[in-house]
């Protein structure tokens, strides 16, 4: 786990330590947002590693991500694999399979809660806190692996759009984006 991860989840911890009745659902929603944000920032950072991407492209890159309305945690995971040649499974190793199963189950719950619907599971606070712990563990494992392989954890710093100067990563991203380029790739974010 990285310092960026620890700081990012401080707000989730504060919510869970509160005496608010809704702390389970509130903490769950915030934890899920942090998971999706981490994956988006990792994918954006990988695109930014392309030799063709310059500082002056930051606004265009952000707009391209904004304009693509079909993005989800799954498409960002696919983008990480496509761009780097390393899947999230490869990065996380052995814990991936049970954590992925837990994250997938949390996604189903997320879909209902974020749309103001009943989950149909009668989830109490303790069950939602278990889901928060799964999401937190996923993000923590991914942050450590990502910092090691990519030079960025998806949480640290004020922006994900910076060069990590890892030649093997630049080469992988350049291969993945050839010949269509980063702008066209973001429009589809193929897996």
């Amino acid at each position: 786990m990285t310092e960026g991860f620890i700081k990012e989840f401080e707000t989730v911890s504060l919510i869970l330590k509160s005496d608010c009745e809704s702390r389970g659902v509130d903490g769950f929603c915030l934890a899920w947002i942090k998971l999706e944000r981490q994956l988006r920032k990792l994918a954006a950072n990988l695109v930014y590693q392309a030799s063709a991407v310059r500082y002056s492209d930051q606004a265009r890159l952000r707009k391209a991500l904004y304009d693509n309305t079909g993005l989800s945690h799954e498409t960002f995971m696919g983008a990480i694999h496509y761009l780097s040649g390393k899947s999230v499974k490869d990065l996380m190793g052995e814990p991936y399979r049970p954590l992925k199963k837990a994250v997938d189950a949390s996604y189903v719950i997320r879909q209902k809660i974020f749309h103001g619907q009943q989950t149909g599971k009668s989830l109490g606070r303790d069950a939602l806190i278990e889901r928060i712990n799964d999401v937190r563990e996923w993000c923590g494992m991914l942050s450590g692996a990502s910092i090691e392989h990519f030079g960025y954890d998806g949480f640290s710093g004020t922006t994900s759009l910076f060069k990590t100067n890892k030649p093997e990563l630049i080469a992988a991203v350049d291969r993945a984006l050839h010949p269509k380029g980063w702008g066209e790739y973001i429009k589809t974010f193929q897996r």
Side-chain angles (χ1 to χ4, degrees):
M1 291 183 214
T2 64
E3 185 178 326
F5 160 78
I6 293 166
K7 286 184 178 185
E8 187 74 20
F9 273 83
E10 283 178 352
T11 51
V12 174
S13 296
L14 288 172
I15 289 169
L16 293 177
K17 290 176 186 172
S18 76
D19 58 359
C20 295
E21 286 297 316
S22 62
R23 66 186 174 270
V25 71
D26 295 346
F28 174 81
C29 290
L30 185 56
W32 187 267
I33 289 167
K34 291 180 179 300
L35 179 145
E36 288 185 356
R37 181 174 182 247
Q38 178 189 30
L39 291 169
R40 175 188 48 83
K41 289 180 82 172
L42 285 170
N45 180 265
L46 288 170
V47 169
Y48 200 77
Q49 300 316 300
S51 298
V53 176
R54 302 283 180 254
Y55 179 81
S56 59
D57 293 318
Q58 285 187 354
R60 284 183 46 227
L61 199 154
R62 284 188 178 97
K63 182 168 179 357
L65 286 167
Y66 173 81
D67 288 346
N68 187 335
T69 58
L71 300 174
S72 71
H73 75 291
E74 289 286 347
T75 55
F76 288 129
M77 287 172 51
I80 290 166
H81 186 200
Y82 182 78
L83 292 165
S84 72
K86 289 201 173 289
S87 68
V88 173
K89 179 181 178 181
D90 294 338
L91 291 168
M92 292 175 71
E94 186 67 31
Y96 172 82
R97 194 171 309 284
L99 283 175
K100 176 71 165 87
K101 186 176 178 181
V103 164
D104 287 346
S106 291
Y107 178 73
V108 172
I109 295 165
R110 172 245 192 250
Q111 288 297 89
K112 293 292 190 180
I113 290 175
F114 277 27
H115 294 98
Q117 301 170 357
Q118 293 290 319
T119 64
K121 299 181 185 300
S122 298
L123 296 171
R125 184 180 303 130
D126 290 340
L128 286 169
I129 290 172
E130 283 181 41
R131 297 291 179 191
I132 293 167
N133 291 335
D134 293 336
V135 169
R136 189 190 310 243
E137 185 176 355
W138 169 279
C139 291
M141 299 249 353
L142 185 56
S143 72
S146 296
I147 201 90
E148 179 181 331
H149 292 286
F150 307 143
Y152 178 59
D153 66 354
F155 293 123
S156 300
T158 57
T159 183
S160 59
L161 304 182
F162 66 94
K163 300 285 188 183
T164 58
N165 300 313
K166 292 183 153 273
E168 67 284 351
L169 186 58
I170 295 166
V173 171
D174 285 349
R175 275 191 307 275
L177 296 177
H178 181 79
K180 77 168 83 164
W182 68 267
E184 284 301 309
Y185 174 70
I186 290 177
K187 288 179 185 176
T188 59
F189 252 129
Q190 64 193 33
R191 293 194 224 180

